[in-house]
Amino acid sequence: MKKIALITGATSGIGKATAEIFAQHQIDLIICGRRKERLDLLASELSSKVNVTTLCFDVRNKDHVFEQISSLPEIWKNIDILVNNAGNAHGLAPTDKADLKDWEDMIDINVKGLMYVSKAIIPQMVERKTGHIINLGSIAGKEVYPNGNAYCASKYAVDALNVGMRLDLVQHGIKVTAINPGLVETEFSLVRFKGDEERAKNVYKGVTPLTAQDVAEVIYFAVSRPAHVNIADVILFPTAQASSTIVNRII
Ligand code: NDP
Ligand code: 8X3
């Protein structure tokens, strides 16, 4: 039977690449993000392959998240796969200098946003005794690095929520998977450095980083395992990376 996936942050990077690979494998899509034009464009590109609908919301807006998800027509309500991907880093500065608003945004988006979307979708999975939740963590949620402070805290929270979901939802037959990448070249660094293209490019200087497609392939691998197999937790690095801080740059 055809499955339905809801992907947050599908307008760019890992979320967009995941939507594309899911469409190639006949998974119907609910694609989400704030940038409506991008959602509409992606929907029109993928709708020759699968059924696609869009939901435009900011994951920080709790009421809007619940309204949008409950507004889905009946045929879209049975979501089999939730990809909790929306998120970003904002800033890279030491604790004493970091912007408090950046810190608040990362907690509001990466942690609270993921909680709102999950709480809006999990009840029907519990009722149907099936479902698969993919949470995008990060190596930043396994090892803190200098100046990573609140971004790392947000991804450590995702790591804990991932384990918590798996422990609590196992009795309902729901799979929960964490995908924790290292360096992936997307719009991530451009957002982190507030549009500073030079600084964003430097993050990947001398390395071949992962692509969004590399991560999406691992996500598709996880969702395409047989019913009795759950990929619980994956760390995914470019070959040149060994930890949050050890990167073999050839410059
Ligand atoms: P991108 O910046 O390319 O994509 C981020 C996506 O999140 C966009 O689609 C954006 O959509 C969405 N998003 C951001 N803020 C909000 C919001 N407030 N409400 C709704 N959607 C939002 O980055 P990546 O693809 O790299 O990041 C995806 C995930 O992967 C994130 O959780 C990130 O932390 C994680 N990750 C990334 C790594 C990397 O090196 N790139 C490594 C490890 C993990 P829109 O702006 O349209 O709302
Ligand atoms: C993104 C990877 O190392 O920039 O989560 O934090 S890193």
Side-chain angles (χ1 to χ4, degrees):
M1 200 165 102
K2 269 188 108 184
K3 291 195 169 173
I4 297 177
L6 182 144
I7 303 173
T8 65
T11 55
S12 167
I14 296 167
K16 181 167 182 276
T18 302
E20 288 164 347
I21 202 163
F22 280 11
Q24 281 162 26
H25 291 91
Q26 297 303 302
I27 298 172
D28 287 337
L29 294 168
I30 304 165
I31 51 174
C32 311
R34 290 167 302 177
R35 288 170 285 182
K36 187 171 182 323
E37 328 72 62
R38 288 196 185 198
L39 287 177
D40 291 343
L41 185 65
L42 186 63
S44 75
E45 281 166 16
L46 301 182
S47 58
S48 60
K49 298 194 177 84
V50 288
N51 297 310
V52 187
T53 192
T54 64
L55 289 180
C56 193
F57 59 81
D58 186 324
V59 295
R60 283 173 291 195
N61 187 332
K62 179 167 63 175
D63 292 342
H64 205 205
V65 169
F66 281 90
E67 272 164 30
Q68 286 289 298
I69 292 171
S70 66
S71 77
L72 283 166
E74 214 48 50
I75 52 161
W76 285 105
K77 280 202 192 298
N78 290 343
I79 294 162
D80 302 290
I81 302 163
L82 162 61
V83 184
N84 272 322
N85 164 75
N88 275 121
H90 296 270
L92 181 71
T95 297
D96 54 315
K97 298 204 171 65
D99 184 332
L100 187 55
K101 172 74 170 69
D102 282 344
W103 280 17
E104 288 172 333
D105 279 344
M106 289 186 279
I107 299 300
D108 288 347
I109 298 167
N110 303 355
V111 185
K112 290 167 71 181
L114 180 147
M115 289 174 171
Y116 300 155
V117 174
S118 302
K119 287 292 273 180
I121 290 171
I122 287 169
Q124 58 80 27
M125 289 183 171
V126 168
E127 202 176 309
R128 295 190 302 125
K129 297 277 177 208
T130 185
H132 195 165
I133 302 168
I134 306 278
N135 292 310
L136 262 294
S138 168
I139 189 59
K142 302 284 188 186
E143 300 168 49
V144 181
Y145 53 85
N147 303 329
N149 40 62
Y151 178 68
C152 296
S154 76
K155 290 299 180 178
Y156 268 75
V158 172
D159 195 44
L161 287 167
N162 186 71
V163 176
M165 284 183 197
R166 191 179 318 113
L167 295 174
D168 297 342
L169 301 177
V170 68
Q171 63 184 306
H172 301 296
I174 298 170
K175 298 187 192 187
V176 182
T177 299
I179 305 286
N180 302 291
L183 293 165
V184 191
E185 192 165 12
T186 59
E187 293 178 10
F188 178 86
S189 292
L190 208 55
V191 173
R192 170 169 250 173
F193 299 124
K194 303 174 197 308
D196 183 336
E197 290 183 12
E198 207 44 46
R199 214 174 156 199
K201 256 206 339 250
N202 269 336
V203 173
Y204 312 105
K205 203 167 173 186
V207 250
T208 304
L210 295 171
T211 63
Q213 166 92 15
D214 294 326
V215 182
E217 283 172 7
V218 175
I219 294 172
Y220 179 69
F221 179 80
V223 303
S224 58
R225 290 312 82 210
H228 67 288
V229 178
N230 180 36
I231 307 288
D233 202 291
V234 178
I235 292 178
L236 177 66
F237 282 136
T239 302
Q241 184 172 15
S243 76
S244 267
T245 51
I246 306 291
V247 180
N248 181 30
R249 294 182 196 272
I250 314 287
I251 301 180

